Amino acid sequence: MVTRSAVLLVLGRVLIKAFLIALAVVVIYPLVWMLLNGVKSNSELFSNPFALPVAWKWDNYVTAWNRGVGDYLTTSVLVTVASTIATVFISAWAAYGLTRVNIPFNKAVLILILGGLMLAPTVALIPLVKMFQSLGLYNNLWALLILYTAFRVPFTTFLIRAYMMDLPAEVDEAASVDGASKARAFWQVILPMCKPILVSTVLLNILFTWNEYLFAMVFTSGGALQTLPVGLTNLMSKHGTDYPVVFAGMAIAAIPVIVLFFAGQRYFIRGLADGVGK
């Protein structure tokens, strides 16, 4: 005989699965819609934007690439990779020093670093422009690299530190007994053990840098220096916009991040759950 608790359990599972399916549709549908509208003609897009394409115009992606999306993609990859590597390793060193090494004024340094979380980038925009102009770094990719690294180090340090705090102290003692220096223990022992949280922070920093618009718009100008979020606005024209080409450019910008996230999602979830979740 089926009990009431068993029925409620089955009903609960069905409702949870239905909710997750609905959530997946809500998330995936806009991406599919964007991809499909990227292979339509302009008239077809405006006449029926929710229908399947009549003629699949894959040359829209070629047109978008030739109109500068290829250059914007190259710049975004360069800035994203460089700033992510710098941010993660600076943050990992800082987290290691705060959790595994006895340094003077440890708490004060921690408060100083985490205090950066309270800084609003938009509030500091005008002083930053003046400072980078005086340093000769305005309209330079070094400006974006420095800014993205500086504003992401506090949050990244917070995540990696939370993960390192749960690593057993015996690991450091064993490395010390084997004659390993602090630097060697960091590179060969601690960092490999922090792989999940490192992947998580890498993905988070990539998502931030790849989609960042304000700094990229203010501190760079010209096609060779513009990143994807800013460069895609150049596909818009005052005299008429080929919207399928714009959608194609947006799809080109979205696909690398989507693929990267799905490739690292296992470590992403594990890293956040084992670190901040404890």
Side-chain angles (χ1 to χ4, degrees), residues 120-203:
T122 52
V123 175
L125 191 60
I126 295 177
L128 286 172
V129 170
K130 295 293 185 181
M131 183 179 70
F132 279 93
Q133 285 177 338
S134 63
L135 294 174
L137 295 175
Y138 188 75
N139 198 25
N140 192 306
L141 290 183
W142 279 104
L144 295 183
L145 175 60
I146 294 171
L147 289 170
Y148 291 158
T149 302
F151 279 100
R152 294 300 292 179
V153 161
F155 181 66
T156 308
T157 302
F158 168 74
L159 293 179
I160 299 177
R161 174 182 173 272
Y163 192 94
M164 284 187 179
M165 288 176 65
D166 292 316
L167 298 180
E170 291 78 6
V171 173
D172 301 85
E173 296 173 1
S176 178
V177 169
D178 289 339
S181 62
K182 292 292 184 182
R184 185 178 177 185
F186 170 76
W187 287 106
Q188 297 185 1
V189 180
I190 301 300
L191 272 191
M193 295 179 67
C194 291
K195 184 177 179 180
I197 193 61
L198 292 179
V199 174
S200 298
T201 54
V202 164
L203 290 176

Side-chain angles (χ1 to χ4, degrees), residues 1-13:
M1 183 176 179
V2 180
T3 62
R4 182 180 178 182
S5 60
V7 173
L8 292 176
L9 180 61
V10 173
L11 181 60
R13 290 178 177 176

Side-chain angles (χ1 to χ4, degrees), residues 6-22:
V7 173
L8 292 176
L9 180 61
V10 173
L11 181 60
R13 290 178 177 176
V14 171
L15 290 176
I16 291 175
K17 289 182 179 180
F19 172 75
L20 293 176
I21 292 173

